[in-house]
Amino acid sequence: MSKPSIPQGTRDFSPAEVRKRQYIFKTLQTIFELYGFQPLETPSMENLVTLTGKYGEEGDRLIFKILNNGLNAQTDEYKGKMNVEWEKMLGKPYTSTLITERALRYDLTIPFARYVVMHQNELAFPFRRYQMQPVWRADRPQKGRYREFWQCDADVVGSPSLINEAELLAIYTSAFRSFGLPVTVKINSRKLLAALAELCGLPEKMMDITIALDKLDKIGWVGVAKELQERGIGDDGIWQIEKVINVSGTNEEKMVAFADIMQHSAAGMEGINELSKTLAYYKASGQEPGREGSEIEVDISLARGLNYYTGVIVEVVCSHPDVKMGSLGGGGRYDDLTGLFGLKGLSGVGVSFGIDRIYDVMDELKLFPEQLAQGTRALLVNTGGENEAYALQLLQQLRASGIAAEIYPDAAKLDKQMKYANKRGIPFVLIAGDTERVANRVSLKNFTTGEQLLLDAAACIVAIKNQA
Amino acid sequence: MSKPSIPQGTRDFSPAEVRKRQYIFKTLQTIFELYGFQPLETPSMENLVTLTGKYGEEGDRLIFKILNNGLNAQTDEYKGKMNVEWEKMLGKPYTSTLITERALRYDLTIPFARYVVMHQNELAFPFRRYQMQPVWRADRPQKGRYREFWQCDADVVGSPSLINEAELLAIYTSAFRSFGLPVTVKINSRKLLAALAELCGLPEKMMDITIALDKLDKIGWVGVAKELQERGIGDDGIWQIEKVINVSGTNEEKMVAFADIMQHSAAGMEGINELSKTLAYYKASGQEPGREGSEIEVDISLARGLNYYTGVIVEVVCSHPDVKMGSLGGGGRYDDLTGLFGLKGLSGVGVSFGIDRIYDVMDELKLFPEQLAQGTRALLVNTGGENEAYALQLLQQLRASGIAAEIYPDAAKLDKQMKYANKRGIPFVLIAGDTERVANRVSLKNFTTGEQLLLDAAACIVAIKNQA
């Protein structure tokens, strides 16, 4: 028998990992609920037609498809079936019978749009939902990139108000504050990127400009300028873009400078207005708006996947000096998401948290609370015979007082049981042999201090609870 | 565009449903942790070889297989690829190239066994884990049977002690007590079923006897006797079985009667001993053992899927007179589960909770706590202009004091905003128009009482918190 394994790009989560992941989910859930977002869960499988054509050509290729039931693992069997049944029946080899009609969820946004369209008559709009579920992509696995990973999204659909953008910014900053993770939330508007193209006199080149600008962090301005040139932007255009990129200062100062440069672009002025209003709403809700080095930062080079965003876009990056890690989350406004499924005119805006990366950074910076590791607090040693019933009764008392406790199920050697407690990291061991049982007491051993005391059940419970 | 839909046998969970389901998961999680079980999560996909051959022929057919990446949805494309590449290359049509190597998890037990074998050197044995995740089966969907559904399992592996059985019984009774759901936990031993076959002088007929007995609830003794006859059990054997089935009384009385009838069967005496010890351990831990009408009941007709159980088996049924519903959970001892993956000699015992059925019964009996429905507690009406900033600042104060609150993002007509609050079931509406803003006050409308008060922010928070 070959050694069992799991598919490439998937993971088992050990108890310690599950506890830390649950801490992240629970923290986000608390914040989402506080902000009036409601939980939604959609099926792992969607009809293939729901997903196909929504993620671009590359995305379509990465969708995990599920084989229709009744078809077999081996192509020979499968092909045999084809030949015998269809080829004979149709007299020609290439039928178009489907072998798959279902696929695994690729993201949470398309299923959300599909849900909204299916339930449009029951929902109260604007509809604010959060969703924390796994998604699957047939990507080449590599460090930090998995084939099964978790997304955690909050979206509002059915309201064009920029208050929504401000609320989502506040969710970002309060979530990362809860995690103890210093971040910068970069903010931009797709309309400013459109205005840049207008400034160059090449409105149709917006995508090219965006793609080039997106690399500013990696290749610097010289590299970007070279790429802009290759993409057909003239010297004057490049100079205009450089001027915009070089604008520095507080967010307010940047907005003033942008307004000066873009005063003749309707898109540009609209984008500036959007960003200003969003920041003002954010500030009104008692949050401090972005200054240099603080949480929110207007960044005109921020691009993101532009296929469906139409307004404000955001991205979260870790600002801790020791951490090298890409985006921890992102999102933006998309004007017509549900239109894909026939419901026009509903504007949406959402943000996503990159759970796996947040986990990695928090682990690296040791930000998870220590007590998360706490599972079982007390192990009852099994000394066999009549002592078992006595130990079980003690065990029941510990649990009734809320202490997570277990008994070693077999009357094994003390040494073996101690090793077990140690390997599990259980801080207290309770030993009830004949002497203790007769005296209606128990020996409590504290692994942390090394102390051992002979106590009754009530005193034992107090001692364990006092060392939380 | 056709209306969007979801695959047959799958479900969207609305906010209210997610909250109720989370309540079930959370309740179970708290109990599992109290009993020293640790959380584990395994990937949704397993290698097909891990799953194949573990669930019987019928089970194998119900495994959802995932199409290998790079193969396409249409058989013609797929076949085209076959023809062009492989047939040409190999000069013959029926290659055995795999079209699927991965499949969706079918249950939680096999992935658990696979995990234990892969991590045997890191784990502290006995290893107690709980796992709450979806599983997928390509079954024909019908009422109460889904293609994606949740299992919730607790297992102990690496200890033959019957204390484990008793602990799992206690988990069952305390979980259903927490749910407020009256149940009977039926208990039997596979060894008693083997003894029944011995009593008939036909030890090889154990499976036949079990299958017939399993129908006792549905077809009564006359039907069972008929089926036993058809399955080749003689009159004397049937009479022996009838005598055992007719044993009544308390669990203790049943055990005495069984011991009398089965005194010459080694398997029978062993089974009786197992059940007696399990019940004694259960009682020692302060739980009341089964009497007629109470929680634990020895039931020799209990069969369950016998393919891998080897010792004690259990099943939970709802004992509420108004509820017609099959098993809400079940489990048992399996002597050599990890042997499937090459690790011999590890005994396991586990129980499973049927989340979907528990949900349905609790919903029917209205057992979910009312406050579960509580999402947003307060809606800030948006009266536009300068009042928006004032409202946002109030909103922040509500949230800072832990009240889930939202602002209507658009300055829509009051009527529309009120309708929204009503449809969402939000109990408090806060209105801050010009008058309120200038006076640094807010109008608080209580939807439940109809009362409306003009208050400052602090008084407002107190008023909302007082009506929890």
Side-chain angles (χ1 to χ4, degrees):
Chain A
M1 190 174 328
S2 64
K3 272 190 194 164
S5 64
I6 55 175
Q8 249 201 320
T10 69
R11 292 164 288 173
D12 284 318
F13 295 112
S14 70
E17 288 165 332
V18 174
R19 291 209 167 97
K20 288 177 184 172
R21 288 167 55 86
Q22 282 172 349
Y23 172 78
I24 294 176
F25 290 129
K26 183 74 203 152
T27 303
L28 292 176
Q29 186 185 21
T30 303
I31 292 170
F32 292 148
E33 294 276 348
L34 198 60
Y35 277 75
F37 283 72
Q38 303 185 82
L40 177 71
E41 293 184 4
T42 63
S44 302
M45 312 179 175
E46 293 277 349
N47 290 320
L48 195 49
V49 298
T50 301
L51 306 185
T52 306
K54 310 301 190 298
Y55 306 107
E57 208 177 306
E58 173 65 6
D60 273 2
R61 254 199 306 276
L62 300 184
I63 294 173
F64 271 116
K65 297 165 195 83
I66 295 163
L67 201 60
N68 280 357
N69 197 228
L71 294 177
N72 240 302
Q74 306 288 121
T75 54
D76 52 356
E77 286 191 44
Y78 170 66
K79 287 198 67 184
K81 208 169 186 170
M82 294 280 105
N83 284 336
V84 174
E85 294 177 21
W86 291 311
E87 296 192 9
K88 202 186 277 181
M89 206 158 47
L90 296 165
K92 57 174 186 172
Y94 298 141
T95 71
S96 66
T97 311
L98 292 168
I99 64 165
T100 167
E101 291 156 64
R102 286 175 289 259
L104 292 176
R105 189 167 53 214
Y106 181 89
D107 74 354
L108 302 178
T109 310
I110 291 296
F112 169 57
R114 192 264 309 143
Y115 176 87
V116 168
V117 174
M118 280 177 70
H119 297 268
Q120 53 185 287
N121 297 323
E122 306 138 41
L123 295 176
F125 289 101
F127 179 54
R128 321 174 127 206
R129 83 88 175 77
Y130 68 92
Q131 192 170 351
M132 311 194 284
Q133 292 189 284
V135 302
W136 295 268
R137 294 185 187 176
D139 230 329
R140 187 187 304 272
Q142 51 179 254
K143 191 176 179 306
R145 194 203 281 163
Y146 304 100
R147 291 184 153 180
E148 173 178 53
F149 59 98
W150 273 251
Q151 286 192 336
C152 179
D153 285 16
D155 289 81
V156 188
V157 68
S159 160
S161 166
L162 293 160
I163 286 182
N164 298 301
E165 272 83 343
E167 291 264 273
L168 291 167
L169 284 181
I171 283 181
Y172 263 153
T173 51
S174 62
F176 286 101
R177 230 177 281 133
S178 294
F179 293 140
L181 205 51
V183 295
T184 302
V185 184
K186 294 183 176 182
I187 181 168
N188 193 12
S189 168
R190 195 185 198 260
K191 288 166 187 159
L192 291 188
L193 293 168
L196 276 189
E198 281 181 36
L199 274 183
C200 303
L202 299 163
E204 74 284 2
K205 291 279 188 188
M206 175 188 157
M207 214 47 166
D208 290 279
I209 293 169
T210 301
I211 291 167
L213 267 187
D214 203 25
K215 301 178 183 163
L216 189 59
D217 276 354
K218 287 184 201 126
I219 60 177
W221 173 249
V222 176
V224 171
K226 188 158 167 277
E227 177 155 348
L228 286 168
Q229 202 171 30
E230 286 162 10
R231 287 176 177 272
I233 316 291
D235 284 353
D236 187 57
I238 293 175
W239 181 78
Q240 292 281 358
I241 295 170
E242 186 177 8
K243 206 167 64 177
V244 175
I245 294 298
N246 280 340
V247 166
S248 64
T250 65
N251 289 334
E252 291 77 3
E253 287 160 1
K254 284 181 186 171
M255 306 307 261
V256 171
F258 292 158
D260 187 46
I261 300 168
M262 297 178 179
Q263 56 186 297
H264 302 300
S265 158
M269 294 312 286
E270 213 179 302
I272 289 165
N273 187 38
E274 275 178 359
L275 290 179
S276 302
K277 276 189 95 167
T278 300
L279 292 172
Y281 281 135
Y282 179 77
K283 184 177 185 177
S285 68
Q287 320 281 347
E288 191 54 31
R291 302 199 148 263
E292 236 171 22
S294 83
E295 289 182 317
I296 313 281
E297 184 186 315
V298 173
D299 180 353
I300 200 163
S301 75
L302 176 66
R304 295 199 59 75
L306 282 176
N307 353 26
Y308 57 69
Y309 291 125
T310 51
V312 169
I313 49 179
V314 293
E315 186 165 286
V316 182
V317 291
C318 185
S319 56
H320 191 287
D322 298 344
V323 175
K324 297 248 173 298
M325 177 72 84
S327 147
L328 298 181
R333 164 77 61 177
Y334 39 89
D335 267 349
D336 191 27
L337 189 73
T338 56
L340 288 170
F341 301 109
L343 179 62
K344 303 279 180 201
L346 274 191
S347 184
V349 57
V351 294
S352 187
F353 287 81
I355 298 300
D356 291 298
R357 287 183 171 180
I358 292 170
Y359 180 101
D360 287 346
V361 175
M362 288 182 67
D363 218 30
E364 188 181 338
L365 299 177
K366 301 197 192 324
L367 295 176
F368 287 109
E370 250 181 58
Q371 65 267 33
L372 270 193
Q374 279 187 12
T376 301
R377 302 284 292 149
L379 176 76
L380 269 292
V381 166
N382 189 331
T383 56
E386 283 179 60
N387 299 331
E388 279 187 337
Y390 181 69
L392 282 169
Q393 171 263 105
L394 283 170
L395 181 63
Q396 172 59 17
Q397 291 182 60
L398 293 180
R399 288 176 181 159
S401 72
I403 296 168
E406 57 187 272
I407 182 169
Y408 196 88
D410 307 278
K413 284 194 180 140
L414 182 65
D415 182 48
K416 188 174 180 187
Q417 299 189 47
M418 287 298 190
K419 271 188 185 152
Y420 170 82
N422 195 40
K423 194 161 182 184
R424 283 283 312 281
I426 300 173
F428 292 95
V429 167
L430 283 74
I431 305 169
D434 296 340
T435 326
E436 285 92 348
R437 174 173 51 81
V438 170
N440 203 27
R441 292 283 185 283
V442 63
S443 296
L444 176 74
K445 190 173 169 64
N446 182 331
F447 261 119
T448 320
T449 62
E451 195 180 42
Q452 182 161 334
L453 297 166
L454 188 70
L455 301 169
D456 65 11
C460 198
I461 288 168
V462 171
I464 295 171
K465 288 203 155 183
N466 279 348
Q467 187 183 306
Chain B
M1 189 174 328
S2 63
K3 273 189 192 163
S5 64
I6 54 175
Q8 251 201 319
T10 69
R11 293 163 289 173
D12 284 319
F13 296 111
S14 70
E17 289 164 331
V18 174
R19 291 208 169 96
K20 288 177 184 172
R21 289 166 54 85
Q22 281 171 350
Y23 172 78
I24 295 177
F25 290 129
K26 183 75 201 154
T27 303
L28 291 177
Q29 186 185 21
T30 303
I31 292 170
F32 292 148
E33 293 276 349
L34 198 58
Y35 278 74
F37 284 72
Q38 303 186 81
L40 176 71
E41 293 185 2
T42 63
S44 302
M45 313 178 175
E46 292 278 349
N47 290 321
L48 195 49
V49 298
T50 301
L51 306 185
T52 305
K54 309 303 191 298
Y55 306 106
E57 210 179 304
E58 175 64 7
D60 272 3
R61 255 199 304 277
L62 301 183
I63 293 172
F64 272 116
K65 297 164 195 84
I66 295 163
L67 202 61
N68 279 357
N69 196 229
L71 295 178
N72 239 300
Q74 305 290 121
T75 54
D76 53 354
E77 287 192 45
Y78 170 65
K79 287 200 65 183
K81 208 168 186 171
M82 293 283 106
N83 284 337
V84 174
E85 295 179 20
W86 291 312
E87 298 193 9
K88 203 186 275 180
M89 206 157 47
L90 297 165
K92 56 175 186 173
Y94 299 141
T95 71
S96 65
T97 310
L98 292 168
I99 64 168
T100 167
E101 291 158 64
R102 286 175 288 258
L104 292 176
R105 188 167 53 213
Y106 181 88
D107 74 354
L108 302 179
T109 309
I110 292 296
F112 169 57
R114 192 265 307 142
Y115 176 87
V116 169
V117 174
M118 280 176 71
H119 297 268
Q120 52 185 290
N121 298 323
E122 306 138 40
L123 296 176
F125 288 101
F127 179 53
R128 323 176 124 204
R129 82 87 173 78
Y130 68 92
Q131 192 170 351
M132 311 194 284
Q133 291 190 284
V135 301
W136 295 268
R137 294 184 188 178
D139 229 328
R140 188 187 303 273
Q142 51 177 253
K143 190 176 179 303
R145 193 202 282 162
Y146 304 101
R147 289 184 154 180
E148 174 178 51
F149 59 98
W150 271 251
Q151 286 192 338
C152 180
D153 286 14
D155 290 81
V156 188
V157 69
S159 160
S161 166
L162 293 160
I163 286 182
N164 299 300
E165 273 83 343
E167 291 266 272
L168 292 167
L169 283 181
I171 283 181
Y172 263 152
T173 52
S174 63
F176 286 101
R177 229 178 281 134
S178 295
F179 292 142
L181 205 51
V183 295
T184 302
V185 184
K186 294 183 177 183
I187 182 169
N188 194 12
S189 168
R190 195 185 197 260
K191 288 166 187 159
L192 291 188
L193 294 168
L196 276 189
E198 280 181 37
L199 273 183
C200 304
L202 299 163
E204 74 285 2
K205 291 279 187 188
M206 175 187 157
M207 213 48 167
D208 290 278
I209 293 170
T210 302
I211 290 167
L213 268 187
D214 203 25
K215 299 178 184 165
L216 189 60
D217 276 353
K218 285 183 202 127
I219 60 177
W221 172 249
V222 177
V224 171
K226 191 160 166 275
E227 178 154 346
L228 286 169
Q229 203 170 32
E230 287 163 10
R231 288 177 178 270
I233 315 290
D235 284 351
D236 185 59
I238 294 175
W239 181 79
Q240 291 282 358
I241 295 171
E242 187 178 6
K243 206 167 63 174
V244 175
I245 294 300
N246 281 340
V247 166
S248 64
T250 63
N251 288 333
E252 289 78 3
E253 288 160 0
K254 284 181 186 171
M255 305 307 261
V256 171
F258 292 158
D260 188 45
I261 300 169
M262 297 178 179
Q263 54 186 300
H264 301 300
S265 159
M269 294 313 286
E270 211 179 304
I272 290 165
N273 186 38
E274 275 178 359
L275 290 178
S276 303
K277 275 189 96 166
T278 300
L279 291 172
Y281 281 136
Y282 179 76
K283 184 177 184 178
S285 69
Q287 322 280 344
E288 190 55 28
R291 302 200 148 259
E292 237 172 18
S294 85
E295 290 182 314
I296 312 282
E297 186 186 313
V298 171
D299 179 353
I300 198 161
S301 75
L302 176 67
R304 295 199 61 76
L306 283 177
N307 353 28
Y308 57 71
Y309 291 125
T310 50
V312 169
I313 50 180
V314 291
E315 186 165 287
V316 182
V317 292
C318 185
S319 56
H320 191 285
D322 299 344
V323 176
K324 299 246 173 298
M325 178 72 85
S327 146
L328 298 181
R333 165 78 60 178
Y334 37 89
D335 266 350
D336 190 28
L337 190 74
T338 55
L340 289 168
F341 300 109
L343 180 60
K344 302 280 179 199
L346 274 191
S347 184
V349 56
V351 292
S352 187
F353 287 81
I355 298 301
D356 291 297
R357 287 182 170 181
I358 291 169
Y359 181 101
D360 288 347
V361 174
M362 289 182 68
D363 218 29
E364 189 182 337
L365 299 177
K366 301 196 191 326
L367 294 177
F368 288 110
E370 251 182 55
Q371 65 268 32
L372 271 193
Q374 279 187 16
T376 302
R377 302 284 295 150
L379 176 76
L380 269 292
V381 166
N382 189 331
T383 56
E386 284 178 60
N387 300 330
E388 279 186 336
Y390 181 67
L392 283 169
Q393 171 263 107
L394 283 170
L395 181 63
Q396 172 59 17
Q397 291 181 61
L398 293 181
R399 288 175 181 160
S401 71
I403 296 168
E406 56 187 275
I407 183 169
Y408 196 88
D410 308 278
K413 283 192 181 145
L414 183 62
D415 183 47
K416 188 174 179 185
Q417 299 189 47
M418 287 298 189
K419 272 188 184 150
Y420 170 82
N422 195 40
K423 195 162 181 182
R424 283 283 312 280
I426 299 173
F428 291 96
V429 166
L430 283 74
I431 306 169
D434 295 342
T435 325
E436 284 92 347
R437 174 175 49 84
V438 171
N440 204 25
R441 292 284 184 282
V442 63
S443 295
L444 176 74
K445 191 172 167 63
N446 181 331
F447 261 117
T448 318
T449 62
E451 195 180 41
Q452 182 160 335
L453 296 166
L454 188 72
L455 302 169
D456 66 10
C460 198
I461 287 167
V462 171
I464 295 171
K465 288 204 156 183
N466 279 348
Q467 188 183 306

